[in-house]
Amino acid sequence: MKTVPYAGTNIKSDYVISLYVGKIMPAAYKSYLGRVYENIADEIELMCNNHGLNLKIEYEESENTISGVIIRESLVDGSILNRGDELCLTISTNHSSYMLPDFVGMSIDDALKLIQEYNIKVNLTYIPTPVDEDIIIFQSTPPSTLIQKNNPYALDLYISKGVKPTTVIDADFFVEVIHNLGYEMEINYVNSNDLENKLVAFEVQKLYDSNIVKYILWITK
């Protein structure tokens, strides 16, 4: 990395030169316990390749967790990685339960395929919203909830049936939907002789570079 004296310095033939040599610090293992193997498989493979580890995968039936979670590992968190070491990961399998997906934002057709696979009941409610038609905007049970297969549980899904810019609907309901979806909003009031607090038109502005969606509303007064 450097010498003392520095290069180019005139020295005597018997002068002692100090050499500073860089040393690579050993890498430590970072635990993967509790994480879904499928989500980090590429990361684990890259780590093993970089440090010369031999990867071994085993599966074990577990009733306390969903399938695919790393429940045991042969290396201790913080241990030094040495080439030739074996990393054995034990991954759970569970055929009686599953982690409920996040259906919000999915099309109802795609969601129903998963629901049929899990064999659970579902209640569908269609409501007019500024979201595209047939897109799920709400689910009664939060995602990542552990659900037992073939149980009598019924999942409530609310699906957008869209609205046309010329549709006249209750403004409070429309504003509440936009607020719950986290979109920005601008309200303009227009005079009306016979309609009050009704949405008569709206415009959508999408700023894709900043991932912002803004709704401009025209409401009667």
Side-chain angles (χ1 to χ4, degrees):
M1 296 179 65
K2 71 174 182 178
T3 63
V4 177
Y6 294 105
T9 303
N10 291 323
I11 58 175
K12 296 181 179 180
S13 60
D14 58 350
Y15 192 88
V16 177
I17 302 172
S18 298
L19 305 178
Y20 291 80
V21 181
K23 181 180 179 180
I24 299 177
M25 298 300 293
Y29 178 70
K30 183 179 179 181
S31 176
Y32 294 102
L33 283 178
R35 302 181 66 180
V36 178
Y37 175 73
E38 183 180 353
N39 297 340
I40 56 173
D42 292 341
E43 176 185 338
I44 293 176
E45 183 178 357
L46 179 62
M47 185 270 297
C48 290
N49 290 337
N50 289 341
H51 300 288
L53 303 181
N54 299 317
L55 179 62
K56 180 180 179 181
I57 302 295
E58 296 180 346
Y59 294 90
E60 181 178 307
E61 184 71 19
S62 173
E63 297 181 357
N64 299 321
T65 185
I66 62 170
S67 296
V69 174
I70 300 173
I71 57 177
R72 194 161 52 253
E73 54 192 357
S74 60
L75 296 181
V76 179
D77 187 34
S79 60
I80 302 302
L81 297 177
N82 299 304
R83 289 192 172 275
D85 286 350
E86 180 182 81
L87 171 60
C88 181
L89 300 177
T90 303
I91 302 174
S92 65
T93 58
N94 188 336
H95 298 90
S96 62
S97 62
Y98 62 92
M99 196 77 80
L100 189 69
D102 186 359
F103 292 112
V104 175
M106 294 177 59
S107 70
I108 184 58
D109 291 338
D110 292 339
L112 288 177
K113 294 177 183 177
L114 289 176
I115 291 170
Q116 184 177 11
E117 177 183 344
Y118 297 144
N119 195 22
I120 61 175
K121 298 179 181 179
V122 61
N123 299 323
L124 306 181
T125 302
Y126 287 82
I127 58 175
T129 76
V131 181
D132 292 340
E133 188 176 358
D134 292 332
I135 298 298
I136 298 173
I137 62 172
F138 179 78
Q139 63 187 73
S140 58
T141 300
S144 300
T145 301
L146 191 64
I147 302 294
Q148 296 295 323
K149 291 184 178 180
N150 302 318
N151 66 8
Y153 170 81
L155 175 66
D156 295 322
L157 296 179
Y158 291 80
I159 305 103
S160 171
K161 62 179 182 180
V163 293
K164 297 179 180 179
T166 56
T167 302
V168 179
I169 64 175
D170 182 78
D172 291 337
F173 172 78
F174 202 87
V175 169
E176 182 180 0
V177 170
I178 295 176
H179 177 74
N180 291 337
L181 293 173
Y183 296 146
E184 293 189 2
M185 183 168 35
E186 175 185 323
I187 299 178
N188 299 300
Y189 290 96
V190 294
N191 293 322
S192 175
N193 293 328
D194 55 354
L195 293 175
E196 182 179 358
N197 198 38
K198 299 294 181 180
L199 178 73
V200 293
F202 71 88
E203 177 185 344
V204 184
Q205 293 183 349
K206 297 182 180 180
L207 306 178
Y208 293 99
D209 55 341
S210 57
N211 198 27
I212 294 176
V213 177
K214 180 179 181 180
Y215 278 82
I216 303 176
L217 313 180
W218 282 266
I219 299 175
T220 62
K221 64 177 181 179

